[in-house]
Amino acid sequence: MNLPEQYQQFHAEIRSTIPESRIFTDPVRTLAYGTDASFYRLIPKIVVKVRTVPEVTAVIHAAHLHKVPLTFRAAGTSLSGQAVTDSVLVMLTGAWGRYEVLEDGDKIVLEPGIIGAEANLYLKPYARKIGPDPASINAAMIGGIAANNASGMCCGTSDNSYKTVASMKIIFPDGTLLDTGDEASKIAFRQSHKELLAEIELLRDEIAAQPELVERIRHKFKIKNTTGYSLNAFVDYQDVFDILNHLFIGSEGTLGFIAEITYRTVVEQEHKASAMIFFPDIGTACQGVMRLYRPLVSATEMVDRIGLRSVEDEPGMPAYLKEFGEEVTAILVEVRANDHEELHRCIDGVKERLEGIPTVMPIEFTTVKAEYERYWDIRKNVFPAVGNVRPAGTTVLIEDVAFPLEHLAEATLDLRRAMDKHGYHEGIIYGHALDGNLHFVFSQDFSNETEIKRYADLMDDVAELVVHRYNGSLKAEHGTGRNMAPYVEMEWGRQAYQFMRRIKKLFDPEGLINPDVIITDKANLHLENIKPAVVAHPLIDKCIECGYCESNCPSRNLTVTPRQRIVLQREIARLQKSGQDPERLAELLKGYEYFGDKTCATDGLCQLPCPVKINTGDHTKHWRAQHMSQDARRIAEFVAGHFAGITSTARIALGLANFAHSLLGTNAMNSLSKMAHTISGGASPQWTPWMPKGAVLAKPKLKPKKAQHQVVYFPSCLGRSMGPAKEDRDARSLTEAMISVLEKAGYAVIYPSDMDELCCGMPFESKGLPEIGDRMAAKLEKKLLKASNDGAIPVLCDTSPCVYRMRRVFKSELKLYEPAEFIHDFLLDKLEFTQLPETVAVHVTCSSLKMGLQDKFLAVAQKCAAKVVRPPKIKCCGFAGDAGFETPELNASALEGLKEALPPETTSGYSNSRTCEIGLSSASGLSYQSVAYLVDRATKAKGNA
C-alpha cells in the first residue's frame, strides 16, 4: 500500500470501526469503484464502503483529523462529475436500504441506498409514488436523487425533491447527526450548533434585505435549476430547520451526508394516454409546447428531426418516421387522470390548446399500453442511439439546460445554431420541453487539444446563450458537479455566488467534503481529468458507463459490476497498447482473474437495462476463451465426447454425497467440505446441505395412441443428473413431477433418442468454449427434430437457461418451451386447479427474464397458491451453473437478504433451473424446486373426482 502519509494514517484510523474487507487501496478496485457516469476520471487513493451511521461518522472524523478530502457516492449515475475524486471515495454499496411507509402512503421514509424505482414499488399498493422521476430511476439511488435534486419527465418543478422533502437525517462535516423530523434532535442541535444556526439565520435575513436578489432567486427557480446551491431555501422558508432541509437538496454531497429522507408522496394516476404529435419544424413544435401547461398534461417531451432519424431503424419503430421532411419535430404528450371521463377531458383540452398550429399528421391519442409504450420507446431510444453510432474512441456527452418557457422557440433555434457553428451537426436536441428543459447530446473526441478546445468553445457559447441572452439555467436537472462549477458565478452573478461561497465555508470550513464540486477556483476544471476513451473490444466498446446495469448484477456487492468490468478492460487495453506502466498492467490482469472473470455469472441480465444493449457476460465468455489453457480445452473435448458416461458418473457421485450426508450429518459434511474447498484453493466444490442426490429418469405411462396431445420432453442434463435434496419438500425427481403434470393434462411424452448423450451446450459456452457448445447443440437439434416430426410437436425442456440457449443457436423452427411457459400456454385449460392455502416464493431465472416470461411464470404460480411472493431486490441468484459450487461467495452475495425478504409463513419456493434452486434453498433455508412440482400439487385431471 503505497499511500501518502496522511492517507496511511486515515486508513489506520478507520480500521478500528470499519472491517478491512470494505476498505480498498488496490489498483483494481480503486479504478473500478472510482468511475461514475460522467466523462471525468479521477482514481481514489482509498475507497470505503460504509453501511451504518457510526461508520460514516468515523470516516468523517478521521478525514478531519488527517486533513483528507471525502466524496460520497450512491449509485454513480451522475453525469456532471460530482461523484469522482482522487482522494477518499465513500460508497453506500450493499446497505442503506431501510424504508417505512407512513400515513397510508402519504409519506415514505427512505435510506439513501434505495433505488428510486424500488421506492415506487413500495408505494404501489397505496397508488402513490415519489415525486422525482429521473430517467435513471431504475438505477439511481435516493441519496443521489435528493443530493442532485434530480427531476425528470413529469415532476417538473412542483414534485421534485425540493418541493416534496418533509424531513431528513443529516450527518454534518463535524460528525453530528441531526434528524429534522425529531423535536428532541432539533433541541439538542440548537444547543450544540448555536453558531451555525445563527449564521444560517443571518444569511436568510441578509438575502431578504436585498429585494433584487430575492426576485432573482425566485425567477431562477421558476424553471428547473440545479446550478449552484438552493438559495431559494432562504427565500421560501423562515424556520432554520426548514432551510436546512431544503438547502441540502441539490447540495451534491458538499455540505454533509444525507443519511435518511422522508418524502411527501404524490398520486400515481391509473389512467394514461399519449400522443406523438409531429410538427413541420422545431420552432412550430415549441409554439405548440408553449400553449400547454400542467396539470392538463403530465409530460411533454420534444425530439428533433435528427433524434427521430437516429431511432427510425430500431425494431418496432413506425415506418412513417422515414418519410418525414428534414425539419419535422415530434412532441410526445402524456395525460393522466383518475378516471376515463377526466382522461378524455384532458385529451380534448390538449387538442383545443393546439388548434390552429400546423401538424404533419392529425393528433391522435391512444390509451392502449402497447401503443403508447412504442411512442415512449422513440423518446427513450434517442440517447442510446447516439451511444450506438458514435465513432470508436469517442465519448457520448449529454448536456442539460433550461430556458424560460416563453423563450423556448427562439432559444431552441439558437441552441441548434450554436451546435452547428462548432461542428456538432449530428448532435440531437430533445428533452422535457414543457419545463423549458432541453438536453443536447453528441459524441465528443477528447484525444487532442483541438477537439478539447472545440468542446470548450461550444460550452462558452452555450453559457453565453443560456445566461446572458435568455436568463436560463446551465444545469436544469443533472447537477452542477465539476462540469459546470466554473460557470456558477457567471450564471448567478457575483452577489449570489458570494452567498454560495459563504454557505460552503459555513458547513465545511476546511473544504474537505467533495471539494471543487459546485464551488471551485479552477476556471478550466470542466476540461481537466477527462476519461480516456479506449477501444477495447467490439462487445463492450459502445458502453457509456452509465451504471444502469449495476442493480441487476449478482456480483455488485462482492467484487465488481458490468460497468466496472468494462472500465478495467479499457484500462488494460490502454496499457497494453501504450506499453506504459507494465507493473500496473500486471496487477490489473492478475486482479481481473477473480474480480472480472471468476465472479462474473455471465447471466446477461446487465443487457436488459443497458441503453446500448451490452451483454458483459458475452465479453467474459470471450475473455475466458482467450485465456483458457490447452489442458482445459482437452478436458472439455473429452467431456463432450463422453457425455453419457460423465452424466452417469455425476449421478453416482451425487448419490454417494447424499449417502455420506445421511451417514455423517449436515454439520460434519459442511466442515469437511469447507476444509477441502479451502485447501484446494476453490478447486474442490463447496458442498451444501441442499446438494441433490442422483436423479431417476421417469418412464412415461401414457401411450401416444391413447393421448389427446403429444409433447417431446427433453430433460436437461441437470434434470437427468440432479434429483431432489435430502431436505426438499418433494422427494421425486423432476422428470417424475413433470410427467405427472403432462399426463394429467392428456399429453403423451416422447423422449428423444440417445438422451444421455445430449446437451444444449450451455456449460461449454459459459466456460468460453462456444464451438464445443455449438456442436453439442447441433447434435441435440437433430434429435429433437426427429422426435418432434420436424417441429410438428412442441418441445419442452425442464430448465429455462437451456431453452434460452437453444432458441439462440438452433437453426430450425422448433417450437421450444420451458416449464412455466408451456404450462401457461398449453395446460391452464386442460387441468383443474385448486389454490393451495399457502404462501410460496418464486424466483424467475435470468433466462426467463430475458425471454420475457416473468408474467407467465407469476400467472401460473398464482393459479396454484393463495399468496405468491417474489422479493423485488433479488435478481440473478449468482449460482451460474457450477459457480455456486466453485465460488459459493457469489451466490451468497447475490442472495443476501433473501431469507429476510420472505414472509415467515412461506412454505416453499419454486423456480425453473435446478442449480438456481440449490442456491436459493441454501440462502433461504426453504426448499426450492421446479414450478412443475407446484403445479402438480395444485392440479388434477379435468373430470376427476
Side-chain angles (χ1 to χ4, degrees):
M1 183 173 64
N2 187 21
L3 293 172
E5 184 177 354
Q6 73 267 36
Y7 287 92
Q8 293 185 37
Q9 294 169 343
F10 170 86
H11 186 277
E13 181 86 19
I14 63 173
R15 281 167 54 196
S16 62
T17 304
I18 299 170
E20 283 195 71
S21 60
R22 290 194 270 116
I23 306 171
F24 313 100
T25 60
D26 62 275
V28 175
R29 284 174 288 188
T30 51
L31 170 65
Y33 297 161
T35 299
D36 76 348
S38 72
F39 57 95
Y40 298 102
R41 163 66 47 76
L42 289 167
I43 301 175
K45 294 177 179 64
I46 300 175
V47 178
V48 187
K49 290 186 177 180
V50 292
R51 286 178 169 262
T52 64
V53 166
E55 288 183 357
V56 175
T57 302
V59 168
I60 289 175
H61 279 312
H64 280 85
L65 182 63
H66 301 292
K67 303 297 181 281
V68 170
L70 298 175
T71 292
F72 298 109
R73 160 86 65 79
T77 57
S78 300
L79 294 163
S80 301
Q82 53 267 68
V84 293
T85 179
D86 58 1
S87 184
V88 174
L89 182 67
V90 184
M91 298 181 69
L92 308 188
T93 310
W96 305 94
R98 191 188 71 84
Y99 75 94
E100 184 179 3
V101 178
L102 304 175
E103 299 175 18
D104 200 29
D106 286 352
K107 288 183 180 177
I108 187 168
V109 180
L110 300 166
E111 284 194 329
I114 293 172
I115 291 171
E118 292 173 352
N120 285 338
L121 198 60
Y122 304 146
L123 289 165
K124 189 174 182 180
Y126 306 91
R128 311 285 295 187
K129 63 179 180 177
I130 60 171
D133 60 339
S136 58
I137 196 165
N138 291 320
M141 293 177 180
I142 291 298
I145 290 173
N148 290 293
N149 197 22
S151 49
M153 297 182 187
C154 299
C155 79
T157 57
S158 59
D159 291 330
N160 59 20
S161 291
Y162 181 90
K163 289 294 179 67
T164 57
V165 60
S167 64
M168 282 187 192
K169 285 182 182 176
I170 302 164
I171 303 177
F172 287 81
D174 65 359
T176 302
L177 174 68
L178 166 67
D179 182 352
T180 64
D182 179 73
E183 286 303 317
S185 179
K186 290 195 288 186
I187 290 169
F189 195 80
R190 280 192 183 279
Q191 293 171 347
S192 63
H193 289 71
K194 290 179 182 177
E195 292 183 6
L196 173 68
L197 296 181
E199 286 295 321
I200 292 173
E201 290 172 336
L202 180 62
L203 285 167
R204 176 200 64 197
D205 295 341
E206 285 186 28
I207 291 172
Q210 301 177 59
E212 288 186 8
L213 177 58
V214 169
E215 183 53 37
R216 177 155 182 75
I217 291 169
R218 285 182 171 146
H219 172 81
K220 293 287 290 178
F221 287 104
K222 283 179 182 176
I223 60 174
K224 284 186 177 181
N225 188 347
T226 59
T227 309
Y229 288 118
S230 299
L231 291 181
N232 47 340
F234 296 95
V235 172
D236 296 338
Y237 299 96
Q238 285 293 307
D239 179 80
V240 69
F241 292 106
D242 284 337
I243 293 172
L244 276 174
N245 268 344
H246 294 84
L247 184 58
F248 266 76
I249 298 294
S251 61
E252 301 178 31
T254 63
L255 304 180
F257 177 79
I258 299 173
E260 182 183 279
I261 184 168
T262 300
Y263 279 119
R264 290 183 294 275
T265 63
V266 299
V267 174
E268 172 68 296
Q269 293 170 307
E270 181 182 353
H271 299 275
K272 302 175 184 179
S274 293
M276 184 69 84
I277 307 170
F278 299 98
F279 296 88
D281 54 64
I282 201 165
T284 307
C286 290
Q287 292 292 336
V289 172
M290 290 159 64
R291 289 195 183 183
L292 301 176
Y293 62 91
R294 287 190 180 92
L296 176 64
V297 297
S298 62
T300 303
E301 297 291 305
M302 182 170 73
V303 183
D304 71 0
R305 183 64 184 104
I306 301 171
L308 294 173
R309 192 179 299 119
S310 72
V311 300
E312 61 187 22
D313 291 323
E314 292 292 319
M317 294 298 105
Y320 55 71
L321 290 181
K322 296 183 179 181
E323 300 170 4
F324 289 145
E326 289 301 304
E327 300 296 326
V328 169
T329 299
I331 298 294
L332 174 55
V333 176
E334 180 168 284
V335 294
R336 298 181 181 183
N338 295 314
D339 54 52
H340 286 293
E341 291 75 15
E342 183 185 351
L343 186 71
H344 286 284
R345 281 197 298 272
C346 290
I347 291 171
D348 292 341
V350 171
K351 291 180 178 180
E352 288 172 13
R353 299 288 296 185
L354 295 180
E355 195 171 339
I357 296 182
T359 59
V360 174
M361 298 170 65
I363 300 173
E364 296 292 341
F365 277 85
T366 179
T367 58
V368 179
K369 185 178 180 182
E371 293 177 2
Y372 64 64
E373 283 184 346
R374 184 174 65 167
Y375 292 156
W376 282 100
D377 284 341
I378 296 174
R379 163 63 178 84
K380 291 173 183 175
N381 285 338
V382 171
F383 180 41
V386 177
N388 265 324
V389 302
R390 76 187 192 276
T394 63
T395 301
V396 59
L397 299 189
I398 178 169
E399 296 293 350
D400 166 47
V401 297
F403 301 104
L405 191 59
E406 63 269 21
H407 298 305
L408 182 63
E410 53 190 310
T412 305
L413 292 170
D414 280 346
L415 179 59
R416 176 79 265 168
R417 283 189 280 267
M419 295 175 71
D420 291 343
K421 171 187 171 183
H422 294 284
Y424 296 95
H425 302 289
E426 295 305 311
I428 295 170
I429 297 175
Y430 69 105
H432 319 311
L434 192 63
D435 301 305
N437 177 195
L438 300 180
H439 303 314
F440 54 108
V441 57
F442 52 93
S443 58
Q444 176 67 47
D445 182 0
F446 284 118
S447 64
N448 58 68
E449 290 302 319
T450 301
E451 283 297 302
I452 292 174
K453 185 177 186 307
R454 182 165 76 108
Y455 170 72
D457 290 345
L458 170 68
M459 293 313 296
D460 285 346
D461 279 5
V462 168
E464 180 69 26
L465 166 72
V466 172
V467 173
H468 292 142
R469 194 173 307 174
Y470 294 110
N471 198 13
S473 308
L474 287 168
K475 282 294 180 184
E477 57 180 6
H478 292 170
T480 307
R482 313 174 81 82
N483 182 222
M484 208 51 66
Y487 293 94
V488 175
E489 183 172 2
M490 176 184 178
E491 175 170 331
W492 276 97
R494 180 169 179 77
Q495 183 187 37
Y497 187 61
Q498 288 306 312
F499 276 109
M500 292 184 187
R501 279 191 170 275
R502 285 173 60 184
I503 291 167
K504 173 64 173 174
K505 190 75 172 175
L506 175 61
F507 285 85
D508 182 24
E510 295 182 89
L512 295 176
I513 309 297
N514 214 5
D516 275 332
V517 170
I518 297 182
I519 303 296
T520 187
D521 293 321
K522 300 175 182 177
N524 290 318
L525 182 73
H526 61 306
L527 306 177
E528 298 174 2
N529 301 301
I530 292 171
K531 276 180 190 174
V534 181
V535 177
H537 190 276
L539 286 171
I540 57 175
D541 283 340
K542 296 300 183 184
C543 176
I544 55 180
E545 298 184 10
C546 62
Y548 287 13
C549 57
E550 295 192 336
S551 63
N552 272 3
C553 181
S555 62
R556 64 190 179 276
N557 296 331
L558 176 65
T559 53
V560 293
T561 64
R563 166 169 64 175
Q564 293 161 355
R565 287 184 172 91
I566 292 172
V567 167
L568 291 169
Q569 281 293 325
R570 285 173 167 170
E571 181 66 359
I572 288 169
R574 186 186 72 81
L575 292 173
Q576 287 174 332
K577 290 172 185 176
S578 68
Q580 299 172 351
D581 205 343
E583 185 177 335
R584 176 175 169 79
L585 174 60
E587 286 184 287
L588 291 177
L589 286 169
K590 181 173 177 55
Y592 195 84
E593 290 177 13
Y594 182 75
F595 296 110
D597 180 0
K598 194 170 183 180
T599 54
C600 178
T602 68
D603 58 18
L605 279 191
C606 47
Q607 186 176 28
L608 298 184
C610 175
V612 290
K613 299 305 173 191
I614 291 172
N615 183 338
T616 313
D618 285 345
H619 182 267
T620 297
K621 294 171 190 174
H622 169 78
W623 178 265
R624 289 171 181 171
Q626 298 302 306
H627 294 80
M628 183 173 293
S629 69
Q630 287 303 312
D631 285 346
R633 288 181 182 276
R634 280 192 289 270
I635 292 170
E637 288 285 4
F638 177 83
V639 170
H642 301 80
F643 202 76
I646 297 296
T647 53
S648 177
T649 302
R651 280 195 293 270
I652 293 169
L654 289 168
L656 289 172
N658 185 67
F659 176 73
H661 182 200
S662 300
L663 192 66
L664 298 174
T666 299
N667 291 337
M669 280 291 288
N670 226 357
S671 299
L672 289 170
S673 170
K674 285 181 179 177
M675 186 185 302
H677 186 73
T678 303
I679 292 171
S680 67
S684 173
Q686 174 71 58
W687 180 85
T688 164
W690 295 93
M691 185 79 81
K693 63 183 180 182
V696 176
L697 188 67
K699 293 182 179 179
K701 299 174 185 175
L702 190 60
K703 303 301 180 185
K705 289 182 180 179
K706 295 184 179 181
Q708 296 173 278
H709 315 284
Q710 292 181 318
V711 62
V712 174
Y713 175 25
F714 170 58
S716 72
C717 51
L718 291 176
R720 301 196 306 270
S721 304
M722 295 182 171
K726 181 185 176 187
E727 302 299 326
D728 269 329
R729 178 168 185 162
D730 195 314
R732 296 175 298 163
S733 288
L734 174 54
T735 53
E736 294 177 275
M738 195 78 251
I739 287 176
S740 174
V741 170
L742 292 168
E743 293 189 336
K744 276 193 285 189
Y747 274 81
V749 173
I750 302 168
Y751 280 144
S753 61
D754 304 318
M755 196 158 57
D756 273 354
E757 300 175 3
L758 302 179
C759 173
C760 71
M762 182 181 60
F764 300 95
E765 181 189 45
S766 67
K767 296 294 184 185
L769 294 161
E771 66 281 1
I772 299 178
D774 289 348
R775 287 206 312 267
M776 298 293 286
K779 181 178 179 180
L780 172 62
E781 185 175 13
K782 287 180 182 178
K783 294 288 185 180
L784 293 179
L785 278 168
K786 184 177 180 181
S788 67
N789 193 16
D790 283 332
I793 303 170
V795 176
L796 165 65
C797 176
D798 52 28
T799 302
S800 176
C802 300
V803 174
Y804 180 67
R805 183 168 202 276
M806 287 188 274
R807 286 182 176 178
R808 285 190 293 116
V809 301
F810 279 8
K811 307 263 192 304
S812 61
E813 296 297 319
L814 280 168
K815 297 184 281 288
L816 299 160
Y817 299 89
E818 59 84 67
E821 181 183 23
F822 187 85
I823 292 164
H824 180 277
D825 290 359
F826 293 94
L827 307 188
L828 290 186
D829 62 342
K830 297 179 179 67
L831 293 168
E832 187 173 322
F833 284 81
T834 301
Q835 263 194 352
L836 302 168
E838 298 178 21
T839 297
V840 302
V842 298
H843 178 78
V844 184
T845 57
C846 310
S847 48
S848 291
L849 289 171
K850 289 184 285 188
M851 291 187 286
L853 301 179
Q854 58 267 36
D855 290 343
K856 290 184 177 181
F857 192 113
L858 289 170
V860 169
Q862 286 161 354
K863 287 276 287 184
C864 297
K867 184 177 180 181
V868 177
V869 293
R870 183 186 175 202
K873 285 194 173 186
I874 302 300
K875 307 292 177 64
C876 171
C877 72
F879 209 89
D882 61 356
F885 301 123
E886 296 177 355
T887 317
E889 64 270 27
L890 175 60
N891 174 236
S893 179
L895 295 180
E896 182 181 8
L898 171 61
K899 189 172 185 177
E900 295 73 19
L902 297 175
E905 68 273 16
T906 308
T907 59
S908 49
Y910 298 93
S911 189
N912 48 7
S913 171
R914 187 67 191 96
T915 52
C916 296
E917 290 151 17
I918 296 169
L920 291 158
S921 298
S922 298
S924 66
L926 284 175
S927 169
Y928 269 81
Q929 293 182 281
S930 169
V931 68
Y933 291 92
L934 176 63
V935 173
D936 196 33
R937 290 176 55 218
T939 59
K940 61 183 179 182
K942 278 201 167 180
N944 285 5

